[in-house]
Amino acid sequence: MPSLQNKFLALCTCLATLVPAASAKAPARALHAERNPILSDGEYYSADPAPLVADGRLYILAGRDEAPEDVNDFIMKEWQLLETADVAGGNWTHHPSLLRPEQVFAWAAPGRAYASQIVRGSDKRYYLYAPVEERDSSNKDPFAIGVAVADSPLGPWRDAHPQGPIVSQSLPEPNHIQNIDPTVLLDDDGRAYLYWGTFGQLRGIELDRDMVTPKGKTVTVSTLDGFFEAPWLFKRNGVYYLAYAGNKAGPDSECTPALYHACVAYGTAPSPMGPWTYRGVVLAPVSSTTSHPGIVQFKGQWYLVYHTADAKGGGHFRRSVAIDRLEWDDSASPARMLPVTPTRPPTPPQAATRNVAPAAWASASNSPDVPVQYWIRALNDGIVRKSPLPPDMWGSWTPHNPPRQWIQYSWDRPVAIDATRIMFWADQPAGANVGVAPPKAWHLEYFDEGSWRPVRDASAYASRPGRFEQTTFAPVTTRCVRAVFDASGDDKGHAAIAVQEWEVLAVEPQRLLTVSSSAARHCDAH
Ligand code: FUB
């Protein structure tokens, strides 16, 4: 007997089927983007790009990041499309609001329009594989993958499986992973394959010829080094490729020094269901913590699409889609992707500045074993975030923290300096003996004739977190300086220290030179 609730659900399904995604759409607009990111002015952010070639045009499906600047969360209510016939020409059409989860999936909650992909089926219709949250899920994690169908990449879209998602924590078999980031390949023989997963869990399954129904058993892939999320499945010259965001971290990792960042790595397989062999890194970590690949051939040229934090006002949760050419090494078997160098807007001629930190080599008392959640290069990258994540700072947290830590800048040639500005980060109050707290005391030292000496006539050494604290001192000329921290704590233990940005000010403004890693060797104490 149909319950009221079921009736209501049926009504919703019917409405969702009738309401074209075009309702309340922001109109399409033409834009010119010679450089990355494609949408760069900060009006619309765009993330998780998924390219599709259809009717002589390249489409890039993307989510839309809408997080306020100080919010560390994926606020993503809708998907958008970018479209071009000529990548090099940089002429794009932006379709700002393609659809929202709740417009097409009656069973979905609004928001969380995560990484999706559109694939053309053998029936020439377009299938959208979309991770969304189930509104009434009893699963621990409500993410699920739905499929929508349309006659054009621009919609209107309708649910291809109105009964609900095709993958969730209860479908097609019970699982405990977060079911997001679907990627689908329609093979030359008409068979289709779906991969998905995040947090190091990668799953794959064949789909029926209807492009919707999972077929056979789910496989778990564990041979792709450092797999984190964002799989992208494609085929070239009979070889299957799976690119992904990898986060195998460490000072010697070919992927990423800092855990929260990701490289784009890939593997190959002789068949769509594996076995998969790791083949290397195609894109170094970008400016956003997440990285997300899509790879496609368009008009004879291969492209890598990804996202960064490089747009105006951009951030880890305000990402923007970029596109670059991808070249192949066909002398290898199977053919390898050559590492992609991201193209960026030309940097304006540099103005003279007193802050000489960006021209320094940064090291620390815990180098090279800086805990992998932190990133030493954040110290002098010039980026200060309202709500930083661990890789936006250098830090020293371990379960047992020493009472003293230091950070050091080294230059290739001597600099004359007389002030410093530092921004600490803390999750514990001053005086704490756990977590990360402002230092109990700190001071600046410079390297002089083989020894480290405190600077003289220093003004106060303040340590309030989340703001620049400035200290002036009698000018010195040196190749190296150290900020030396006495950790907050007591005889039971010490808190760690974290610094988001550290500036060192020259007596006179100057143009910055680049620095080599060997600079630090000039300051080995006798
Ligand atoms: O955009 C939300 C999530 O961030 C995606 O699902 C992941 O791939 C990462 O890019």
Side-chain angles (χ1 to χ4, degrees):
M1 178 123 163
S3 69
L4 242 190
Q5 193 196 15
N6 283 346
K7 259 174 129 176
F8 178 68
L9 279 178
L11 181 66
C12 289
T13 310
C14 176
L15 280 178
T17 309
L18 291 178
V19 175
S23 63
K25 258 189 179 177
R29 57 187 189 138
L31 64 100
H32 188 69
E34 267 173 47
R35 314 276 179 189
N36 284 320
I38 299 170
L39 300 173
S40 62
D41 62 6
E43 187 187 350
Y44 279 87
Y45 296 107
S46 51
D48 303 330
L52 163 76
V53 173
D55 303 327
R57 306 187 71 78
L58 173 66
Y59 293 90
I60 302 177
L61 175 69
R64 178 180 175 196
D65 275 349
E66 291 187 75
E69 207 189 339
D70 54 350
V71 171
N72 287 344
D73 192 9
F74 297 113
I75 312 290
M76 305 178 78
K77 298 181 196 144
E78 61 187 348
W79 291 284
Q80 54 193 327
L81 263 186
L82 291 158
E83 175 191 354
T84 188
D86 172 19
V87 177
N91 293 314
W92 293 85
T93 304
H94 179 210
H95 305 274
S97 26
L98 183 73
L99 80 158
R100 294 172 174 248
E102 72 278 15
Q103 282 178 321
V104 69
F105 302 117
W107 46 268
R112 307 288 178 198
Y114 275 25
S116 304
Q117 183 180 357
I118 301 173
V119 175
R120 197 170 196 202
S122 317
D123 59 1
K124 308 295 177 226
R125 295 195 297 170
Y126 295 90
Y127 291 84
L128 170 85
Y129 298 85
V132 296
E133 285 187 341
E134 269 189 280
R135 196 186 46 232
D136 301 315
S137 174
S138 55
N139 291 325
K140 197 165 173 203
D141 186 307
F143 266 109
I145 297 171
V147 189
V149 64
D151 292 324
S152 151
L154 296 173
W157 295 93
R158 67 178 174 80
D159 197 338
H161 190 253
Q163 307 89 298
I166 63 164
V167 173
S168 72
Q169 281 197 333
S170 21
L171 294 167
E173 298 127 19
N175 65 77
H176 300 288
I177 73 166
Q178 186 170 86
N179 292 283
I180 64 168
D181 287 4
T183 176
V184 169
L185 172 73
L186 176 65
D187 210 345
D188 306 325
D189 59 3
R191 294 168 75 177
Y193 302 90
L194 164 71
Y195 280 83
W196 74 99
T198 182
F199 292 109
Q201 298 292 327
L202 177 60
R203 302 285 188 269
I205 197 163
E206 185 173 351
L207 293 179
D208 213 340
R209 284 176 187 264
D210 64 4
M211 301 292 285
V212 174
T213 313
K215 187 177 163 183
K217 281 245 156 271
T218 305
V219 298
T220 296
V221 181
S222 53
T223 50
L224 292 174
D225 273 21
F227 172 85
F228 182 61
E229 62 179 0
W232 180 263
L233 178 66
F234 67 101
K235 186 179 182 184
R236 180 180 183 265
N237 295 343
V239 177
Y240 297 86
Y241 289 82
L242 197 137
Y244 57 93
N247 70 348
K248 185 177 179 180
D252 303 322
S253 167
E254 66 168 351
C255 177
T256 169
L259 185 63
Y260 277 64
H261 282 290
C263 67
V264 172
Y266 72 102
T268 62
S271 97
M273 295 303 283
W276 290 99
T277 305
Y278 172 77
R279 297 293 181 192
V281 170
V282 66
L283 184 71
V286 293
S287 49
S288 53
T289 45
T290 58
S291 197
H292 195 108
I295 293 173
V296 76
Q297 188 181 30
F298 178 56
K299 297 189 174 171
Q301 173 65 49
W302 284 87
Y303 292 97
L304 170 71
V305 293
Y306 54 101
H307 62 221
T308 69
D310 292 349
K312 187 175 172 196
H316 303 313
F317 301 91
R318 292 151 74 94
R319 303 161 292 177
S320 299
V321 170
I323 183 165
D324 275 303
R325 291 159 74 110
L326 174 80
E327 308 296 347
W328 292 85
D329 174 6
D330 281 304
S331 67
S333 180
R336 304 293 204 276
M337 291 183 249
L338 296 176
V340 169
T341 307
T343 51
R344 295 206 176 87
T347 39
Q350 195 194 72
T353 171
R354 283 189 65 203
N355 177 23
V356 290
W361 183 259
S363 54
S365 46
N366 55 354
S367 297
D369 300 317
V370 176
V372 287
Q373 67 268 38
Y374 303 115
W375 197 35
I376 184 100
R377 285 173 59 190
L379 276 178
N380 55 346
D381 64 359
I383 299 171
V384 173
R385 299 195 187 281
K386 276 191 186 166
S387 303
L389 293 175
D392 296 319
M393 61 189 84
W394 164 85
S396 67
W397 189 87
T398 67
H400 305 287
N401 301 302
R404 185 165 260 209
Q405 295 278 350
W406 49 259
I407 51 180
Q408 176 176 329
Y409 282 154
S410 311
W411 291 270
D412 274 330
R413 63 190 176 100
V415 287
I417 55 175
D418 64 358
T420 188
R421 287 172 13 112
I422 194 163
M423 186 180 285
F424 291 101
W425 183 89
D427 60 11
Q428 297 295 322
N433 65 3
V434 292
V436 180
K440 181 171 67 186
W442 70 279
H443 69 276
L444 198 74
E445 297 182 355
Y446 69 107
F447 197 72
D448 179 44
E449 295 179 352
S451 306
W452 289 98
R453 306 179 198 284
V455 294
R456 283 178 295 109
D457 303 332
S459 60
Y461 285 110
S463 58
R464 285 163 296 187
R467 54 187 289 166
F468 271 117
E469 299 283 21
Q470 177 156 333
T471 302
T472 58
F473 49 87
V476 292
T477 297
T478 184
R479 283 170 93 147
C480 303
V481 292
R482 268 183 190 176
V484 181
F485 310 119
D486 294 316
S488 135
D490 51 32
D491 53 4
K492 294 200 183 65
H494 291 91
I497 317 283
V499 175
Q500 193 184 166
E501 193 71 18
W502 178 34
E503 297 182 355
V504 175
L505 305 186
V507 175
E508 296 291 341
Q510 48 192 269
R511 291 197 196 287
L512 300 181
L513 299 173
T514 51
V515 68
S516 58
S517 59
S518 61
R521 287 206 294 270
H522 299 305
C523 304
D524 291 338
H526 297 319

